[in-house]
Every structure is written in structure tokens, then in C-alpha cells.
Amino acid sequence: MALLISIKLAVVIIYVLRLNASHSFQEYTPPIAMMAALSFFIVAALWLAGMKLSGSD
């Protein structure tokens, strides 16, 4: 799971750096923020599902 999160973060960082180098960063901030929030909620949901399946509270 940690490897998956690390890979996603690396991809997002590379994407942001490429956008910043080629375009104005301001116009791409909302989609990047939405993608980061969505990733956070997916990871949180998977973590909660794992806690429920393992039987711990």
C-alpha cells in the first residue's frame, strides 16, 4: 500500500513539474487539488475497509 501511495505521489510531482515548466500553474491548480483530494479519500476508504475486514476497531 505504501508503495502504491509513493508511486502516485511521484507521478503527481512529475506532472506538476512538467505543467509548471510548460504552462501557467494557476490554471491547473484546481484539477491537481481535486486529484490529490480524491486520492486521499480513496486511500482513507481503503484503510477503513481494511480495518473493518481485519476486525480491529
Side-chain angles (χ1 to χ4, degrees):
M1 182 66 114
L3 180 64
L4 180 66
I5 294 169
S6 300
I7 291 171
K8 284 190 177 205
L9 283 175
V11 168
V12 169
I13 289 170
I14 291 169
Y15 180 71
V16 168
L17 289 176
R18 283 188 180 175
L19 282 179
N20 199 17
S22 62
H23 298 292
S24 171
F25 185 68
Q26 296 283 332
E27 65 184 277
Y28 291 101
T29 303
I32 292 170
M34 188 167 48
M35 183 171 55
L38 183 62
S39 297
F40 173 77
F41 284 120
I42 289 172
V43 168
L46 289 173
W47 179 72
L48 285 174
M51 295 266 300
K52 296 256 184 205
L53 289 175
S54 66
S56 59
D57 284 330

